[in-house]
Amino acid sequence: MDKNSGFATKQIHVGKIEIPGISPLATPIFQTSTFEFATTAEGAARFAGEEQGYIYTRLGNPNIAKIGAKLAALEHAEAGMAMASGMGAVTTVMWTALKAGDHLLADDTLYGCTFSYFTHGLTRCGIDVTLVNFEDLEAVKAAIRPNTKAFYFETPTNPSLKLIDIEAISKLAHESCPDAKVIVDNTFSTPYIQTPIDLGADVVIHSATKYLNGHGDVIAGMAAGSQEFITECNMFGLKDMTGAVLGPFEAYLIDRGMKTLDIRVQKHCDNAMKVARFLEGHPAVEKVLYPGLESHPRHELAKKQMHNGFGGIITFELKCSREESAAFVNDLKLCTIAVSLGDAETLIEHPATMTHSTYTPEALAQAGIGESMLRLSIGLEDAEDIIADLKEGLDRIK
Ligand code: LCS
């Protein structure tokens, strides 16, 4: 595979496993917990790291290695790996990057379970955690401590679609704390839209449950970064701390999903742009947040660090009571009430009581996640049908 190949070629071909004498086009599923050694000496040499080869699926498996290599190629990283869930990726990376006595500086708007892991999990183990608004560089600067070892953020953020300047935060972090890691959760954008490592970040995390798989049938996580750090995540964070190993079958499904990442994400973006413009023009809609709209507070930053489009997620608020808003959601026919995102189906949810119900009322207020906020994950249906479904409900609101 040519290193200079384009995105589409890489998403299909990187990591191909050659099996002499059989040559299957699709990679077979290596549904095995362990691998045979020819001799005790071979087993010992593999454990000692003196010989390449598989040992046991928690330590490595061809299907899992293949998607790790693929993500690394797409994210412009040296190495990549997969875990059993997005939370498995977050915990594996953080247990590797941090130890008791260290300080984590994170944005105040995070996926609900990342928020609870940071504020209830890491803090129980002697790691100090500060959440500030990463849009405000001065606030980030003021919160840095001598023991700050990691900077963590999503962009766009779940669910409020706040945009963080990856280049500016990475520069500030590396100048202030040379040995700290800048970790970006790139779930919402995927490498088709945004490559944080090119902008100075050290590590990229994904809930591969979302766009990387894209078909709503797998829970998985992934990470990419330097060879040294990813090896540490594999041999310490994953092997010893979380054990959050992805199954070979799930890895096979992610591999299959990633082959169409660019065309799927492009359609999500195109549909979302049309739906966002429709929502913005409807009199029953109070506010729409979508990075592709000129009205988004950081639309200029979106144009600078996002490419090919602005993602498939839209948040919006209605000009009505909470009861009327709930009735609007309940009556939708095509849009399905469900959490998760990045699937072929358009999904709608209420962050304050669903994905972000782990937040305290104060933390919700700080993150700007209002009672009336609704989140849409725009699917791959015809945009006109999604709009017609939303319009029917919106037209009923007085
Ligand atoms: N990071 C982000 C940005 C997420 O949105 C999620 C899940 C995770 C990490 C965790 O990934 P998981 O373990 O679920 O694979 N976000 C969800 C959401 O917004 N609705 O349902 C799950």
Side-chain angles (χ1 to χ4, degrees):
M1 194 37 275
D2 188 337
K3 249 188 94 190
N4 299 320
S5 298
F7 191 96
T9 307
K10 284 183 186 157
Q11 75 184 0
I12 294 167
H13 290 283
V14 168
K16 185 167 172 59
I17 297 170
E18 304 289 349
I19 307 177
I22 306 180
S23 306
L25 178 65
T27 304
I29 304 167
F30 291 84
Q31 194 70 32
T32 182
S33 55
T34 198
F35 296 83
E36 297 177 17
F37 305 131
T39 61
T40 53
E42 184 179 84
R46 288 196 190 168
F47 269 94
E50 291 158 1
E51 185 190 298
Q52 291 285 312
Y54 290 103
I55 297 174
Y56 182 68
T57 283
R58 180 157 45 76
L59 313 183
N61 173 288
N63 296 102
I64 303 170
K66 183 181 179 189
I67 59 171
K70 201 180 261 198
L71 184 73
L74 300 180
E75 288 284 6
H76 304 161
E78 286 173 11
M81 64 187 288
M83 296 81 160
S85 65
M87 285 314 299
V90 176
T91 53
T92 296
V93 165
M94 300 320 274
W95 289 134
T96 305
L98 299 170
K99 60 183 187 319
D102 287 347
H103 175 235
L104 163 67
L105 190 47
D107 180 45
D108 58 14
T109 312
L110 301 161
Y111 165 58
C113 296
T114 306
F115 171 83
S116 51
Y117 166 56
F118 286 0
T119 56
H120 304 145
L122 288 176
T123 50
R124 275 176 31 163
C125 300
I127 293 161
D128 289 331
V129 178
T130 309
L131 303 184
V132 295
N133 180 2
F134 270 39
E135 282 178 314
D136 182 349
L137 279 180
E138 288 308 312
V140 177
K141 206 174 197 172
I144 291 172
R145 300 188 196 163
N147 59 339
T148 303
K149 291 286 156 47
F151 294 73
Y152 188 103
F153 58 97
E154 303 167 1
T155 181
T157 57
N158 185 357
S160 57
L161 304 179
K162 195 169 78 172
L163 293 187
I164 312 298
D165 188 330
I166 302 169
E167 197 167 19
I169 294 286
S170 301
K171 187 163 178 281
L172 171 65
H174 291 136
E175 278 172 8
S176 315
C177 320
D179 59 346
K181 294 263 181 294
V182 175
I183 302 161
V184 179
D185 184 327
N186 204 27
T187 300
F188 271 36
S189 294
T190 83
Y192 178 64
I193 294 180
Q194 178 173 280
T195 44
I197 287 173
D198 289 337
L199 299 171
D202 300 294
V203 184
V204 168
I205 283 181
H206 283 272
S207 166
T209 312
K210 311 294 168 3
Y211 295 101
L212 295 184
N213 178 55
H215 293 77
D217 49 11
V218 171
I219 297 285
M222 296 191 80
S226 69
Q227 183 65 62
E228 187 187 358
F229 185 69
I230 292 298
T231 300
E232 220 184 317
C233 285
N234 255 310
M235 300 316 288
F236 175 68
L238 180 65
K239 179 171 82 67
D240 298 340
M241 298 295 281
T242 68
V245 178
L246 188 65
F249 177 56
E250 283 74 13
Y252 163 86
L253 288 174
I254 300 285
D255 185 19
R256 188 162 94 139
M258 285 175 84
K259 288 183 186 180
T260 54
L261 183 65
D262 65 339
I263 50 176
R264 286 187 290 103
V265 174
Q266 189 63 62
K267 174 110 194 248
H268 284 293
C269 292
D270 294 347
N271 276 355
M273 195 70 226
K274 290 181 191 164
V275 175
R277 288 214 189 283
F278 159 74
L279 288 172
E280 198 169 46
H282 198 284
V285 176
E286 173 73 31
K287 184 171 149 193
V288 184
L289 277 170
Y290 182 65
L293 292 177
E294 294 75 14
S295 58
H296 188 283
R298 303 196 95 187
H299 179 60
E300 290 309 312
L301 176 61
K303 286 197 289 189
K304 196 176 107 189
Q305 70 184 17
M306 300 173 88
H307 311 286
N308 299 318
F310 302 97
I313 310 298
I314 301 172
T315 56
F316 65 109
E317 291 177 20
L318 301 177
K319 284 183 195 154
C320 64
S321 66
R322 204 168 151 204
E323 292 70 34
E324 279 178 295
S325 172
F328 159 78
V329 175
N330 291 338
D331 290 344
L332 291 168
K333 294 182 187 73
L334 182 65
C335 303
T336 304
I337 309 171
V339 295
S340 205
L341 55 104
D343 296 328
E345 296 82 358
T346 295
L347 307 178
I348 187 162
E349 66 113 8
H350 181 237
T353 57
M354 297 179 188
T355 47
H356 292 70
S357 56
T358 51
Y359 271 61
T360 58
E362 298 74 38
L364 281 177
Q366 187 184 336
I369 305 169
E371 273 294 326
S372 49
M373 180 184 277
L374 296 172
R375 189 191 77 186
L376 268 171
S377 168
I378 300 298
L380 301 176
E381 303 95 339
D382 294 293
E384 297 67 29
D385 293 332
I386 303 168
I387 290 170
D389 192 36
L390 294 166
K391 185 172 184 310
E392 201 181 315
L394 292 174
D395 287 349
R396 277 199 295 270
I397 297 170
K398 295 285 172 286

